[in-house]
Amino acid sequence: MSIIRQKIMESASRHFSLQGYAATSIQEIADDCGIAKGSLYKFFQSKEDLYVAFHDSQHIALETEIESIRSDASRSPREVFILETECHFKFFLNNKFVMHDIKELKDSNGDFSPYFLRLRASHLKFSKDGLTRLLGEDIGHYIWDLVMIYNGIVREFIFLLLFENKPLNVKEVAGYIVDRVEEMAACLVQKKTKPILQEALMNEYMQCEMAGKKISIAAYRTSLLDDLSSTLKELPTTNFRKAELSDAIALLQGELDNDKPKAVIVHALLDFIGKEHELQYIVKQLERLVCLK
């Protein structure tokens, strides 16, 4: 990296971290570096490009730190994941405008949307890897539910720290969160709870996010229908009943593939399939998707 580009990145990091995207100007960064605005544009075509480069550098630094923590064989999986969680808290505390910027820019500027989708996918994958190390491969099909639960809890505590200035100890909060996640994981396994987020759906979701695209309604619908078929195979019922349900799912797929699916038929098929308790949670998602209720 050239000396000038390095100076620009360092200045951008200071300004974006302390002021956020909207309050920072290219002229401000150029003045801080002692160069003309035109010289800055030789390295970054726009403020947007500079902000993306800033974000990338911050996340590379975060991931590098976490990988360093994970590589220390002297720590237990629990100690490692607590330190990982602390790293995420410190990242947002050191970049307090990041969460606000992500929401504002993703909603208001279509040029940023693909980038933030990829960023979210990368973050979710990192969380999934960390939770798998903590909980073990046996957690299996509960992993995506736990990824969302974990990230939801972390996000709420970050809001308390950043926007409500609550005097919380980050190390204690990180340990508390990991304790709760372990308890929830044990409870899910013990109760044999049906997972909400199926692997097939999340694989499709992650592929779309990594490509900078939102998952389409058609892809989501197909994923749910695939979940119906795969869950059907595990039902503790007769082969005759499975054959009936399989035929109903096939008819439902065919009707939904029509340009103008008949609501009465779709509703009747969903009602028939939903009589099986184990299939109800998927049926309810499909009902919401096709706007029948």
Side-chain angles (χ1 to χ4, degrees):
M1 184 183 293
S2 73
I3 295 175
I4 296 177
R5 191 179 194 280
Q6 180 66 35
K7 286 179 66 176
I8 294 169
M9 285 296 298
E10 289 174 356
S11 177
S13 294
R14 286 195 303 274
H15 285 85
F16 286 136
S17 297
L18 294 174
Q19 300 174 187
Y21 176 82
T24 299
S25 70
I26 286 290
Q27 186 65 62
E28 191 174 16
I29 293 172
D31 291 344
D32 187 42
C33 295
I35 60 174
K37 187 192 289 188
S39 297
L40 189 151
Y41 284 129
K42 293 178 182 178
F43 296 92
F44 301 97
Q45 294 183 355
S46 65
K47 180 179 169 182
E48 290 84 356
D49 286 343
L50 180 54
Y51 189 73
V52 167
F54 153 71
H55 246 291
D56 281 341
S57 68
Q58 297 295 91
H59 277 271
I60 288 170
L62 173 64
E63 291 180 1
T64 300
E65 185 177 0
I66 290 176
E67 289 294 359
S68 176
I69 292 169
R70 290 178 177 178
S71 66
D72 188 345
S74 68
R75 296 188 176 110
S76 69
R78 186 176 184 279
E79 290 171 329
V80 167
F81 199 63
I82 288 174
L83 288 172
E84 284 187 39
T85 304
E86 283 187 61
C87 282
H88 283 105
F89 274 106
K90 290 174 182 175
F91 170 81
F92 284 105
L93 288 172
N94 292 332
N95 300 276
K96 64 179 182 178
F97 286 99
V98 166
M99 292 180 73
H100 180 268
D101 282 345
I102 288 175
K103 184 179 187 309
E104 290 294 316
L105 296 174
K106 182 166 68 70
D107 292 344
S108 64
N109 191 328
D111 293 338
F112 275 113
S113 184
Y115 173 73
F116 285 124
L117 287 172
R118 290 192 293 270
L119 199 64
R120 173 172 166 75
S122 176
H123 177 69
L124 290 177
K125 184 181 182 301
F126 234 72
S127 297
K128 180 176 181 279
D129 292 343
L131 283 165
T132 301
R133 286 183 173 88
L134 171 69
L135 302 169
E137 295 291 342
D138 292 343
I139 202 64
H141 52 295
Y142 295 118
I143 188 63
W144 282 113
D145 286 356
L146 290 166
V147 167
M148 296 304 171
I149 290 169
Y150 166 75
N151 279 287
I153 296 172
V154 169
R155 184 172 59 249
E156 290 305 315
F157 273 104
I158 287 172
F159 268 91
L160 286 174
L161 282 161
L162 284 183
F163 303 120
E164 299 185 23
N165 298 312
K166 300 299 183 186
L168 301 175
N169 182 291
V170 169
K171 187 175 184 63
E172 290 178 359
V173 171
Y176 177 85
I177 291 173
V178 174
D179 282 346
R180 302 293 78 75
V181 169
E182 286 181 315
E183 290 169 358
M184 282 185 281
C187 183
L188 289 172
V189 172
Q190 181 184 3
K191 290 187 173 183
K192 298 180 180 179
T193 306
K194 204 74 175 178
I196 296 295
L197 299 175
Q198 300 290 325
E199 189 72 22
L201 170 64
M202 290 309 297
N203 286 342
E204 180 76 25
Y205 173 79
M206 290 293 285
Q207 288 173 11
C208 288
E209 294 258 307
M210 290 299 287
K213 303 175 182 176
K214 292 184 178 180
I215 187 168
S216 68
I217 292 177
Y220 186 26
R221 186 183 67 200
T222 299
S223 178
L224 290 172
L225 289 166
D226 289 343
D227 287 345
L228 276 178
S229 297
S230 60
T231 306
L232 171 61
K233 296 175 183 178
E234 302 173 9
L235 288 183
T237 188
T238 65
N239 288 334
F240 178 77
R241 178 61 177 160
K242 286 183 180 181
E244 281 187 327
L245 290 166
S246 181
D247 288 344
I249 293 169
L251 289 170
L252 177 62
Q253 170 105 51
E255 191 61 37
L256 289 174
D257 285 342
N258 291 333
D259 291 336
K260 295 182 179 180
K262 295 180 180 178
V264 173
I265 295 176
V266 173
H267 185 85
L269 289 168
L270 286 172
D271 186 61
F272 177 79
I273 297 167
K275 292 186 186 304
E276 289 294 327
H277 176 73
E278 291 85 350
L279 301 178
Q280 284 179 1
Y281 74 104
I282 304 176
V283 167
K284 288 178 180 177
Q285 292 179 69
L286 277 166
E287 286 175 340
R288 289 194 292 269
L289 193 62
V290 297
C291 300
L292 294 178
K293 286 193 174 183

